[in-house]
């Protein structure tokens, strides 16, 4: 807001200056035959001011930096965003399924740590979950599927359940600081339903490509 106001003031000053300068140049031209030098000085001052204003506008304009949606911590070995070989993808998928299994078996305890704690196991917060970058693993394993259409649908189902569970876990955080009368437990329960669906879909996908968890 401050930058926008500053730029508006600078533009306004520029308009006033140019109007005043042009009026002075016209007056001098009608009264003094030796106007060439005065015009050159006026143009020089105008050029300087325009350059300064342009530089100021550029300096106060915020250009959004290009960022990645997630950051890969190379010190963690559970999840990954790099392109995987089929063997690596197989191991990643198994680790992802293990993360889901652990989450379900210790769900109440994990929920006690809050919504972000659940999201860490979903791979949507941090990089320590085996589900982090699971899309890469499923993509690399697609060539093993006899029915690519069914495989793609199952892959999308897995991604959707993770996203839905993540949204519910996030809402469990949100309601603790809002005036909502919906208790966090309701959202944790909704998230668990999606996580159970994720486990079922991952088992079906593993069976489809002959992968043993």
């Amino acid at each position: 807001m401050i930058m926008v106001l500053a730029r508006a003031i600078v533009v306004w000053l520029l308009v006033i200056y140019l109007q005043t300068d042009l009026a002075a140049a016209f007056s001098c031209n009608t009264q003094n035959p030796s106007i060439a030098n005065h015009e050159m000085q006026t143009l020089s001052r105008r050029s300087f001011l325009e350059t300064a204003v342009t530089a100021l506008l550029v300096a106060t304009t915020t250009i959004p930096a290009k960022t990645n949606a997630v950051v890969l911590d190379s010190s963690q070995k559970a999840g990954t965003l790099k392109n995987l070989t089929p063997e690596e993808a197989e191991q990643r998928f198994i680790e992802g399924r293990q993360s889901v299994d652990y989450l379900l078996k210790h769900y109440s305890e994990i929920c006690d740590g809050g919504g972000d704690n659940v999201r860490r196991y979903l791979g949507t917060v941090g990089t320590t979950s085996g589900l982090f970058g699971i899309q890469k693993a499923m993509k690399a394993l697609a060539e093993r599927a006899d029915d690519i259409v069914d495989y793609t649908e199952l892959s999308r189902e897995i991604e959707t359940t993770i996203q839905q569970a993540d949204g519910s876990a996030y809402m469990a955080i949100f309601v603790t600081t809002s005036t909502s009368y919906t208790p966090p437990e309701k959202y944790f329960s909704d998230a668990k339903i999606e996580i159970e669906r994720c486990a079922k879909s991952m088992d079906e996908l593993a069976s489809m490509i002959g992968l043993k968890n």
Side-chain angles (χ1 to χ4, degrees):
M1 184 64 182
I2 294 176
M3 284 188 176
V4 172
L5 181 60
R7 286 155 54 189
I9 292 174
V10 170
V11 173
W12 176 67
L13 290 174
L14 173 61
V15 171
I16 293 177
Y17 180 89
L18 291 178
Q19 288 177 341
T20 304
D21 208 22
L22 286 172
F26 177 79
S27 175
C28 185
N29 186 46
T30 56
Q31 297 176 16
N32 188 352
S34 303
I35 190 61
N37 185 53
H38 175 78
E39 288 180 337
M40 288 299 294
Q41 292 175 349
T42 298
L43 289 173
S44 178
R45 291 199 307 273
R46 185 180 304 157
S47 177
F48 171 80
L49 184 59
E50 290 175 348
T51 301
V53 171
T54 300
L56 180 59
L57 290 176
V58 171
T60 56
T61 299
T62 302
I63 301 176
K66 182 179 180 181
T67 59
N68 294 323
V70 290
V71 178
L72 177 61
D73 182 354
S74 59
S75 66
Q76 303 295 343
K77 298 182 179 180
T80 183
L81 286 180
K82 72 172 186 176
N83 291 326
L84 303 172
T85 65
E87 293 74 21
E88 289 174 331
E90 180 178 323
Q91 183 60 33
R92 297 302 185 187
F93 188 88
I94 293 173
E95 291 173 352
R97 182 61 182 86
Q98 290 172 346
S99 291
V100 173
D101 188 51
Y102 185 91
L103 175 57
L104 288 173
K105 287 182 178 179
H106 302 84
Y107 194 68
S108 295
E109 178 186 347
I110 292 171
C111 287
D112 288 341
D116 272 345
N117 203 31
V118 174
R119 298 172 74 201
R120 286 188 184 93
Y121 284 91
L122 291 171
T124 55
V125 170
T127 64
T128 57
S129 171
L131 288 175
F132 178 74
I134 192 67
Q135 296 87 349
K136 289 281 188 179
M138 293 189 294
K139 182 178 180 181
L141 293 171
E143 62 184 29
R144 296 189 182 183
D146 293 329
D147 190 330
I148 190 61
V149 174
D150 286 348
Y151 183 90
T152 301
E153 289 180 355
L154 266 178
S155 297
R156 290 175 179 171
E157 173 71 10
I158 292 169
E159 293 179 28
T160 299
T161 57
I162 293 172
Q163 292 168 0
Q164 295 290 343
D166 176 71
S168 294
Y170 177 79
M171 287 302 298
I173 304 171
F174 178 76
V175 295
T176 60
T177 58
S178 73
T179 57
S180 172
Y181 292 100
T182 305
E185 290 75 16
K186 194 270 182 187
Y187 293 105
F188 282 132
S189 178
D190 291 344
K192 187 176 183 180
I193 292 173
E194 296 298 329
I195 296 167
E196 289 171 341
R197 289 177 54 203
C198 180
K200 181 175 181 294
S201 296
M202 291 186 76
D203 287 344
E204 291 178 4
L205 188 142
S207 177
M208 180 180 294
I209 59 176
L211 179 62
K212 296 181 180 180
N213 294 331

